């Protein structure tokens, strides 16, 4: 079993990237400064400032021209804003999120991605980022023997899945197998073929849903990263008006070099944290879906009509299929980590149960067997969710928090050193007007 710290062994160490602007050394990426990461969060990091992306072309208030203020106060405020945004490590997270998005797109095109095939690199943000893109695993097609299909738009994938569901419902009602075990046994393989076809359509729909969700996450991170770049540019311009192309003191130069190294460590961990965030969210979604599956299946027996029974069965199958695909994607997001409690054999058994679910529900013995399969699988996935969180909290989170605290402390010392230099060199009457940086 590979723990989160093992990710650092998969990242090639290299010197921090620095770009001299004649004033100071600047790292042109997203860094980090104190954060609490929740693996299952489905929204942006709580401390990440986000620009409104609803079509209104406006910048955050901190990036538009402002009233004059003392230059010392302006530097302090600007550096603190950068530190807060750095703490979310938007640059490394963005590279991980975009690499994950490319993997999902590749899986949707081909139906599967082998774990030993590297992720095709996505276009990086304009400045180079210090962390390497970690390889991801495979996303199975979800249905054995599924035919490869051309890419579908989100609407067409959902529409095809819905049409197939309606078709299956109508056929089952016409065959009258819901209450007749003999007819159900006769039509078992025919219904199984219909189920396979319907699940193939569903698989396209679920893949597209994951792509849409991942694209939104990447957009949020890119927005934060672009804002951080603007803040860096503004800070460079402010310092250029004070410094004469060199460090003010030797101590400042030393602190800047130490901060670069600390940021580099934090950034590498931030990229790995994003992978665990992706996997944690998918695994939690799978567990939530399986809870619903168990509830749907329990309601089948007391159902009053054939239509109600078919509706519950199809809902159970669709929800469980979505949970299976989320689970497979979670495993692909952490290819170097062996998630316990869940085996390939068990996943295959669940998928087999889904294919024959519509005829098995008529036979009391098979109904009970399917009930047991769902119950055990639900319990095991729930255990896996708890394990993932415990493993993360005991390893990677501690490493990230430690690196974050080290970088935060160094950033504070460098800020204080520069403030002392600015106060000594700049007249108190000198003011600063924040420019609008597009």
């Amino acid at each position: 079993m590979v723990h989160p710290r093992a990710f650092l062994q998969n990242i090639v160490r290299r010197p921090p990237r620095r770009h001299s602007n004649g004033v100071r050394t600047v790292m042109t990426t997203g860094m980090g400064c104190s954060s609490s990461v929740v693996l299952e969060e489905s929204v942006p990091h709580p401390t990440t400032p986000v620009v409104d992306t609803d079509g209104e072309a406006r910048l955050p208030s901190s990036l538009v021209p402002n009233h004059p203020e003392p230059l010392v106060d302006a530097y302090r405020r600007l550096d603190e804003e950068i530190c807060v945004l750095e703490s979310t490590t938007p640059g490394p997270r963005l590279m991980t999120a975009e690499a994950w998005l490319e993997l999902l797109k590749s899986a949707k095109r081909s139906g599967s991605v082998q774990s030993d095939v590297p992720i095709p690199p996505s276009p990086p943000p304009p400045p180079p980022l210090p962390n390497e893109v970690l390889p991801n695993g495979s996303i199975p097609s979800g249905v054995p023997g599924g035919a490869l299909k051309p890419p579908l738009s989100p609407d067409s994938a959902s529409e095809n899945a819905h049409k197939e569901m309606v078709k299956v419902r109508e056929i089952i009602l016409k065959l009258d197998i819901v209450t007749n075990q003999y007819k159900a046994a006769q039509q078992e393989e025919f219904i199984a073929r219909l189920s396979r076809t319907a699940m193939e359509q569903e698989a396209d729909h679920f893949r597209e849903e994951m792509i849409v969700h991942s694209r939104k996450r990447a957009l949020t991170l890119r927005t934060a990263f672009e804002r951080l770049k603007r803040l860096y540019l503004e800070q460079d311009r402010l310092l250029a008006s004070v410094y004469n192309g060199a460090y003010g003191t030797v101590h400042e130069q030393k602190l800047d070099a130490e901060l670069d190294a600390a940021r580099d460590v934090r950034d590498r961990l931030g990229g790995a944290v994003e992978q665990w965030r992706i996997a944690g969210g998918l695994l939690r979604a799978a567990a939530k879906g399986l809870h619903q599956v168990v509830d749907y299946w329990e309601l089948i027996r007391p159902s009053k009509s054939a239509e109600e029974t078919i509706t519950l069965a199809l809902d159970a199958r669709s929800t469980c299929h979505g949970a299976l695909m989320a689970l497979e994607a979670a495993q692909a997001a952490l290819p170097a980590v062996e998630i316990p409690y869940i085996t390939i054999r068990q996943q295959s058994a669940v998928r087999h149960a889904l294919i024959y679910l519509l005829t098995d529900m008529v036979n009391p013995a098979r109904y009970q067997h399917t009930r047991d399969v769902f119950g055990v699988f639900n319990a095991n996935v729930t255990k896996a969710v708890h394990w993932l969180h415990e493993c993360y909290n005991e390893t990677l989170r501690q490493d990230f928090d430690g690196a974050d605290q080290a970088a935060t402390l160094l950033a504070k010392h460098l800020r204080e050193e520069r403030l002392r230099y600015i106060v000594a060199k700049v007249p108190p009457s000198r003011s600063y007007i924040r420019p609008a940086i597009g």
Side-chain angles (χ1 to χ4, degrees):
M1 184 179 300
V2 181
H3 285 286
R5 288 194 177 101
F7 277 105
L8 295 180
Q9 300 173 5
N10 297 328
I11 305 175
V12 179
R13 298 292 298 176
R14 57 179 175 177
R17 293 185 180 269
R18 301 176 182 179
H19 299 268
S20 175
N21 57 6
V23 177
R24 59 170 184 150
T25 301
V26 181
M27 289 194 68
T28 57
T29 72
M31 330 289 178
C33 252
S34 80
S35 76
S36 174
V37 182
V38 182
L39 286 178
E40 70 271 19
E41 64 180 354
S42 59
V43 295
H45 190 286
T47 61
T48 304
V50 179
V51 180
D52 182 8
T53 58
D54 294 333
E56 299 183 19
R58 59 171 181 252
L59 295 171
S61 59
S62 60
L63 298 180
V64 297
N66 208 337
H67 298 293
E69 61 181 324
L71 190 141
V72 172
D73 294 342
Y75 172 74
R76 179 186 292 108
R77 170 186 50 75
L78 188 58
D79 196 66
E80 289 174 351
E81 287 181 23
I82 288 174
C83 187
V84 170
L85 190 51
E86 281 181 343
S87 71
T88 65
T89 57
R93 287 171 179 260
L94 175 60
M95 286 199 73
T96 300
E98 289 188 336
W100 174 247
L101 179 59
E102 287 302 313
L103 180 69
L104 291 175
K105 290 179 179 178
S106 175
K108 187 172 184 296
R109 288 191 297 267
S110 64
S112 66
V113 179
Q114 298 301 320
S115 59
D116 57 349
V117 176
I119 299 178
S122 58
L129 297 175
N131 70 310
E132 299 286 352
V133 179
L134 300 177
N136 285 284
S138 62
I139 303 180
S141 62
V143 182
L148 302 183
K149 297 185 180 300
L152 297 172
S153 67
D155 291 339
S156 62
S158 177
E159 183 180 352
N160 289 343
H162 177 70
K163 287 181 178 178
E164 199 65 33
M165 184 84 74
V166 172
K167 175 183 175 182
V168 171
R169 185 194 308 272
E170 292 176 351
I171 290 175
I172 293 176
L173 284 173
K174 290 180 179 178
L175 292 176
D176 189 28
I177 65 172
V178 175
T179 57
N180 191 316
Q181 292 187 44
Y182 177 73
K183 289 183 179 180
Q186 280 186 323
Q187 303 293 338
E188 183 176 65
E189 291 304 322
F190 172 67
I191 299 299
R193 287 196 298 272
L194 291 178
S195 294
R196 288 188 180 94
T197 303
M199 290 171 67
E200 288 171 11
Q201 300 289 350
E202 280 184 345
D204 289 333
H205 171 64
F206 291 138
R207 290 192 196 97
E208 188 59 44
E209 279 190 339
M210 286 191 281
I211 289 173
V212 170
H213 179 83
S214 299
R215 187 179 289 119
K216 289 180 180 178
R217 171 64 175 171
L219 177 61
T220 297
L221 291 170
R222 179 168 288 279
T223 300
F225 180 74
E226 293 296 331
R227 184 190 175 200
L228 184 59
K229 287 198 301 179
R230 295 189 188 100
L231 291 174
Y232 282 148
L233 178 59
E234 183 184 355
Q235 189 178 49
D236 288 347
R237 292 179 178 178
L238 185 153
L239 291 175
S241 68
V242 178
Y243 289 81
N244 294 319
Y247 287 100
T249 65
V250 175
H251 185 51
E252 178 189 346
Q253 184 177 8
K254 179 183 176 183
L255 285 173
D256 197 26
E258 291 176 355
L259 180 57
D260 275 351
R263 283 168 167 170
D264 185 57
V265 173
R266 181 176 56 189
D267 286 350
R268 295 174 188 276
L269 290 167
V273 166
E274 182 66 15
Q275 281 190 274
W276 280 71
R277 178 194 177 278
I278 292 169
L282 289 165
L283 196 59
R284 181 171 175 266
K288 182 178 180 180
L290 288 171
H291 284 310
Q292 294 177 333
V293 171
V294 172
D295 291 339
Y296 287 143
W297 197 246
E298 291 289 347
L299 292 172
I300 285 179
R301 277 303 179 185
S303 58
K304 304 299 183 182
S305 65
E307 289 189 359
E308 182 182 358
T309 300
I310 295 172
T311 298
L312 288 170
L314 290 175
D315 286 345
R317 190 189 68 185
S318 179
T319 305
C320 189
H321 187 202
L324 270 177
M325 294 197 66
L327 174 60
E328 292 167 351
Q331 292 171 320
L334 294 175
V337 178
E338 182 183 347
I339 301 177
Y341 305 110
I342 304 168
T343 64
I344 296 177
R345 181 178 180 181
Q346 188 177 42
Q347 293 177 64
S348 298
V350 173
R351 187 171 289 105
H352 184 272
L354 295 182
I355 293 172
Y356 290 92
L357 177 146
L358 295 173
T359 50
D360 286 352
M361 68 179 181
V362 183
N363 186 303
R366 291 188 177 184
Y367 170 86
Q368 182 61 42
H369 174 73
T370 303
R371 180 174 178 270
D372 295 339
V373 169
F374 288 159
V376 171
F377 192 52
N378 175 42
N380 287 347
V381 172
T382 300
K383 290 178 183 178
V385 171
H386 293 314
W387 176 87
L388 192 71
H389 284 264
E390 289 176 3
C391 186
Y392 167 77
N393 288 328
E394 292 173 2
T395 53
L396 184 57
R397 180 171 185 172
Q398 294 180 16
D399 292 344
F400 181 83
D401 288 346
D404 186 36
Q405 291 172 10
T408 301
L409 185 60
L410 285 169
K412 180 181 178 182
H413 290 166
L414 180 60
R415 184 187 310 130
E416 293 171 349
E417 179 67 19
R418 283 179 171 159
L419 285 172
R420 282 192 290 269
Y421 180 83
I422 294 173
V423 168
K425 187 173 181 179
V426 177
S429 59
R430 183 172 173 180
S431 62
Y432 172 82
I433 299 178
R434 189 167 208 172
I437 301 177

